[in-house]
């Protein structure tokens, strides 16, 4: 008997040692690979080690399955850890398949462990509270536990068998789980059928020896499985890296490097056929991202690639070489007529409505074209030439342009202007000038219009016509508008400290108006400098507001609700209409100077101005005439009941000190 007990304890200690060794190995691998399934296996083997420890302590202390508190605690620990071992082992195996819809993974780990704790408590507490149930204790704490553990392990084996990879680790794990599950089920059934507990001793020794062997097999299979899984993962990552070295992750099109490589191979062929390289970019795509969101913007790019791939004029190569820029290689175009048809077809592919979650959306594009071999003989130069033509088309707002020699000089010049313009904003080289807007009735100053000048360190004093065209070509309107707006609000705050409460009118370019960022920036500036909104007026062009009358009307109303006045600049040069004037909730209309300048000698202009004034007054709007340069013009406007005037006859644009002096002089009269 003593020999048998010693043999059993040796087996138990060996199982505990191997379980702890496997725990250490899995803990070590979890620190290296940082995978959740390894941590799950570590927890499973740790539970098995605790399970063996509870058995050893029970045997050494002679606690058995008594009803004392200590024996009940150890029995609870034994039952809980045995269930947890089987469930955690299965959970870790499911994790390696990345099947997040599996039932074990849909339930979080903590609720699972709490459920196992509840089952263990139900297996212990009733027998600790009542001796009347002692006859059923072995059934619930041993027989059923062994059956349940065996069923869980067999379930794991069946699940793995159905989706097993042809690897040594998984095959060995499946065989081990099948044998271990059968061992638990067979042992549970045999113990229930055994007539005398004395017959258990040798059977348990044999059973624990088999369990020890299966534990070693399981540990070996998990280590092999782990290594194979990580090697497979690394191979997949390597393949993905190779894929991303050639293809754009978002759209699946070639990336720039792959395009250059493939195209160079084509061009190096002995009799390389002529081809056309088109660089196509979406217009105002940044605005689209801001309005519908980045996710919807990504969907537009994916849909566009599919359109190119499914087109009847499918390009030989399709690459995404920028955020919203695609490069297409066309090989089957042999004359200008075919080229025109191809470009128009590509434009139609872009202009076809994109169906998104938020609704449909229409876009346009700009295209730059370069030819092989006329413009370049290698891929990099060909892409460069197409890129130059593309940006030239963008700047000139042209649908498409073919590369022409000399475009590089224009590009270099624009790059130089861009650097200088950005430096001018950063170092405050721009200067605000102020032109008074006076009442036509009493000549009092109603406001100053803010005008911009540039004190260039090398080129000297520059007027707007000398640099604003470059601002527009380079797409710096928004940055410059915000710079002027900040400077104007700051000036209002400085004048307020000098007891000068005079509104400033600031021009807004079309690209800025109706953007949410503008309203937020205005609110922030007014709060920062503690400026009343009624001292700020925004001037927008007629065409800007008419682009989307409903949206423009709502936007103007929101600005007015903030207390900011909005006026229409250059009225009469755009889409003038009664509906336009009636629907736009504007405060003031500015008659363009082109009508005022020849008014005295041109009856048509005179009639147009008179009609504008009457129309504005009939709709409850104030009206201001620009370009007043003579006393005759002023008198005519006064006779026609014009509300306000602005022009060189009253005052030229003034520096800030001169504007302040001019205002104070007017106030003192």
């Amino acid at each position: 008997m003593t020999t048998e007990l010693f043999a059993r304890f040796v087996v138990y200690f060996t199982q505990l040692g191997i379980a702890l060794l496997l725990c250490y190995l899995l803990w070590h691998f979890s620190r290296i690979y940082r995978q959740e399934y390894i941590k799950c296996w570590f927890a499973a083997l740790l539970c098995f080690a605790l399970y063996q420890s509870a058995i050893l302590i029970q045997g050494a202390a002679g606690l058995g399955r008594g009803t004392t508190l200590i024996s009940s605690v150890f029995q609870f620990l034994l039952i809980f850890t045995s269930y947890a071992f089987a469930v955690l082992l299965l959970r870790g195996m499911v994790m390696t398949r990345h099947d997040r819809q599996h039932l074990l993974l849909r339930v979080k780990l903590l609720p699972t462990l709490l459920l196992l704790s509840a089952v263990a408590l139900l297996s212990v507490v009733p027998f600790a509270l009542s001796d009347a149930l002692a006859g059923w204790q072995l059934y619930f704490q041993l027989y059923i536990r062994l059956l349940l553990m065996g069923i869980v392990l067999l379930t794991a084996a069946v699940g793995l068998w159905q989706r097993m990879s042809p690897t040594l680790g998984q095959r060995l794990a499946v065989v081990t789980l099948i044998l271990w599950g059968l061992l638990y089920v067979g042992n549970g059934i045999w113990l229930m059928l055994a007539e005398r507990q004395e017959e258990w001793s040798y059977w348990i020794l044999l059973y624990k020896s088999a369990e020890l062997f299966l534990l070693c097999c399981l540990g070996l299979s998990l280590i092999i499985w782990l290594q194979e899984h990580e090697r497979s993962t690394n191979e997949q990552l390597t393949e993905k890296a190779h894929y991303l070295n050639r293809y754009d992750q978002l759209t699946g099109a070639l990336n720039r490097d792959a395009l250059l490589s493939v195209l160079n191979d084509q061009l190096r062929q002995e009799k390389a056929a002529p081809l056309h390289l088109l660089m196509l970019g979406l217009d105002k795509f940044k605005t689209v991202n801001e309005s519908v969101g980045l996710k919807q913007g990504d969907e537009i790019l994916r849909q566009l690639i599919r359109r190119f791939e499914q087109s009847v004029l499918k390009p030989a190569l399709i690459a995404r070489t920028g955020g919203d820029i695609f490069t297409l290689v066309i090989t089957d175009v042999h004359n200008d007529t075919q080229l025109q048809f191809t470009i128009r077809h590509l434009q139609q592919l872009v202009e076809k409505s994109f169906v998104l979650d938020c609704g449909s959306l229409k876009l346009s594009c700009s295209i730059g074209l370069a030819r092989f071999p006329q413009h370049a003989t290698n891929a990099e130069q060909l892409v460069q030439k197409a890129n130059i033509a593309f940006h030239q088309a963008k700047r000139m707002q042209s649908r498409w342009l073919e590369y022409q020699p000399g475009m590089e000089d224009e590009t270099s010049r624009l790059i130089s202007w861009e650097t200088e313009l950005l430096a001018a904003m950063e170092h405050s080289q721009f200067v605000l000038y102020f032109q008074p807007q006076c009442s036509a009735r009493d000549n009092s100053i109603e406001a100053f219009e803010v005008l911009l000048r540039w004190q260039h360190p090398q080129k000297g004093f520059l007027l707007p016509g000398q640099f604003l065209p470059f601002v527009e070509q380079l797409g710096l309107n928004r940055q410059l508008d915000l710079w002027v707006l900040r400077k104007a609000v700051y000036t209002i705050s400085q004048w307020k400290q000098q007891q000068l409460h005079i509104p400033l009118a600031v021009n807004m370019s079309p690209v800025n108006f109706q953007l949410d960022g503008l309203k937020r920036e205005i609110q922030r500036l007014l709060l920062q400098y503690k400026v009343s909104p009624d001292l700020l007026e925004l001037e927008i062009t007629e065409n800007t507001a008419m682009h989307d009358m409903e949206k423009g009307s709502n936007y103007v109303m929101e600005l007015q609700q903030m207390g900011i006045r909005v006026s229409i600049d250059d009225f009469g040069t755009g889409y003038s209409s009664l509906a336009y004037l009636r629907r736009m909730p504007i405060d003031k209309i500015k008659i363009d100077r082109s009508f005022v300048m020849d008014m005295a000698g041109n009856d048509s202009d005179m009639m147009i101005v008179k009609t504008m004034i009457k129309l504005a007054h009939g709709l409850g709007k104030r009206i201001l005439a620009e370009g007043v340069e003579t006393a005759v013009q002023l008198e005519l406007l006064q006779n026609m009941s014009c509300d306000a005037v602005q022009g060189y006859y009253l005052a030229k644009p003034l520096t800030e000190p001169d504007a302040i002096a001019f205002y104070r002089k007017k106030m003192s009269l």
Side-chain angles (χ1 to χ4, degrees), residues 313-445:
L313 295 173
K314 182 179 178 180
L317 296 175
I318 304 172
R320 183 182 177 215
T321 51
D324 61 339
I325 299 175
F326 300 90
T327 301
L328 312 174
V329 176
I330 309 294
T331 56
D332 53 356
V333 171
H334 306 293
N335 55 56
D336 288 343
T337 301
Q338 291 179 344
L339 178 62
Q340 293 282 350
F341 175 79
T342 299
I343 291 175
R344 183 59 194 143
H345 178 70
L346 292 173
Q347 289 171 338
Q348 288 172 346
L349 290 178
V350 175
E351 292 165 3
K352 181 182 176 183
S353 294
F354 291 90
V355 180
L356 307 171
D357 295 339
C358 57
S360 61
L361 185 70
K362 284 200 169 187
L363 292 175
S364 60
C365 66
S366 301
I367 298 176
L369 168 68
R371 301 175 188 246
F372 168 82
Q374 292 92 326
H375 297 143
T377 56
N378 64 61
E380 189 167 353
Q381 290 179 357
L382 200 61
V383 171
Q384 181 186 5
K385 307 294 186 186
N387 185 51
I388 291 170
F390 165 73
H391 285 288
Q392 186 80 342
K394 278 275 193 183
R395 288 191 291 270
M396 297 177 64
Q397 298 183 356
S398 176
R399 300 295 302 277
W400 72 279
L401 281 179
E402 182 176 346
Y403 169 79
Q404 299 294 334
M407 281 185 175
E408 296 93 336
D409 298 336
E410 177 67 16
T411 301
S412 299
R413 191 160 66 96
L414 281 172
I415 291 173
S416 175
W417 273 105
E418 182 176 23
T419 304
E420 293 176 5
L421 285 164
L422 292 173
M425 285 184 269
E426 183 179 354
H427 302 298
S428 298
Q429 295 172 8
F430 290 114
V431 181
L432 296 188
Y433 271 60
F434 306 87
Q435 188 169 28
Q437 298 175 345
C438 301
S439 169
R441 295 181 178 83
D442 57 14
N443 206 28
S444 62
I445 299 177

Side-chain angles (χ1 to χ4, degrees), residues 604-617:
S604 296
D605 284 353
M606 173 81 77
M607 185 58 65
I608 289 172
V609 172
K610 185 183 293 186
T611 303
M612 286 182 184
I613 293 172
K614 287 184 177 181
L615 185 61
H617 287 163

Side-chain angles (χ1 to χ4, degrees), residues 386-668:
N387 185 51
I388 291 170
F390 165 73
H391 285 288
Q392 186 80 342
K394 278 275 193 183
R395 288 191 291 270
M396 297 177 64
Q397 298 183 356
S398 176
R399 300 295 302 277
W400 72 279
L401 281 179
E402 182 176 346
Y403 169 79
Q404 299 294 334
M407 281 185 175
E408 296 93 336
D409 298 336
E410 177 67 16
T411 301
S412 299
R413 191 160 66 96
L414 281 172
I415 291 173
S416 175
W417 273 105
E418 182 176 23
T419 304
E420 293 176 5
L421 285 164
L422 292 173
M425 285 184 269
E426 183 179 354
H427 302 298
S428 298
Q429 295 172 8
F430 290 114
V431 181
L432 296 188
Y433 271 60
F434 306 87
Q435 188 169 28
Q437 298 175 345
C438 301
S439 169
R441 295 181 178 83
D442 57 14
N443 206 28
S444 62
I445 299 177
E446 295 184 350
F448 282 102
E449 181 180 3
V450 174
L451 303 171
L452 194 63
R453 305 290 185 265
W454 185 0
Q455 189 61 56
H456 196 285
Q458 284 83 38
K459 298 182 176 71
F461 191 75
L462 301 179
L463 295 174
Q466 296 174 276
F467 61 85
L468 286 184
F470 298 108
V471 172
E472 187 169 346
Q473 289 184 44
L474 291 164
L476 298 176
N477 307 69
R478 178 176 173 80
Q479 291 170 260
L480 187 58
D481 280 355
L482 292 177
W483 187 94
V484 173
L485 184 64
R486 284 192 290 268
K487 187 70 173 176
V489 175
Y490 172 76
T491 301
I492 294 172
S493 70
Q494 294 298 303
W495 287 10
K496 189 173 70 170
Q497 294 176 14
Q498 302 178 49
Q499 305 304 314
L500 299 174
H501 300 277
I502 183 73
L504 293 184
V506 180
N507 286 282
M508 279 289 118
S509 60
V511 73
N512 249 348
F513 192 66
Q514 299 181 12
L515 290 181
D516 291 336
L518 177 62
K519 287 189 295 185
R520 289 195 297 269
E521 181 66 11
I522 291 173
Q523 289 172 327
R524 187 189 69 79
L525 290 170
L526 294 177
L527 288 173
Q528 179 182 351
Y529 293 110
K530 299 178 181 178
V531 168
S532 175
D534 61 358
L535 294 177
L536 180 64
E537 180 180 323
L538 297 183
E539 294 186 355
I540 60 173
T541 62
E542 184 180 352
N543 293 357
T544 302
M546 278 294 294
H547 179 67
D548 186 337
M549 187 178 290
E550 183 176 355
K551 185 176 179 182
S553 178
N554 293 336
Y555 196 88
V556 171
M557 194 172 295
E558 290 174 7
L559 290 171
Q560 287 184 332
Q561 289 171 353
M562 292 167 54
I564 297 165
R565 292 181 294 177
V566 179
S567 62
I568 297 296
D569 199 9
D570 301 333
F571 185 75
T573 60
Y575 305 98
S576 306
S577 71
L578 286 172
Y580 166 69
L581 286 177
R582 180 174 56 83
R583 292 180 59 185
M584 289 298 293
I586 52 178
D587 297 286
K588 184 168 60 181
I589 297 170
K590 297 180 70 175
I591 303 174
D592 187 67
R593 66 179 64 248
S594 61
F595 299 105
V596 176
M597 290 175 62
D598 297 329
M599 185 176 58
N602 189 314
D603 291 340
S604 296
D605 284 353
M606 173 81 77
M607 185 58 65
I608 289 172
V609 172
K610 185 183 293 186
T611 303
M612 286 182 184
I613 293 172
K614 287 184 177 181
L615 185 61
H617 287 163
L619 294 171
K621 318 290 186 185
R622 299 187 76 251
I623 194 155
L624 179 148
E626 296 181 293
V628 178
E629 298 184 355
T630 66
V632 174
Q633 291 170 349
L634 177 59
E635 185 178 354
L636 288 171
L637 290 167
Q638 288 172 334
N639 292 336
M640 287 185 281
S641 301
C642 185
D643 297 303
V645 291
Q646 174 182 346
Y648 277 26
Y649 179 71
L650 303 167
K652 294 181 178 181
L654 305 168
T655 63
E656 184 176 349
D658 290 341
I660 293 173
F662 184 85
Y663 178 72
R664 284 180 170 159
K665 181 179 178 181
K666 284 282 186 182
M667 292 291 290
S668 64

Side-chain angles (χ1 to χ4, degrees), residues 79 303 601:
I79 295 171
Q303 286 188 29

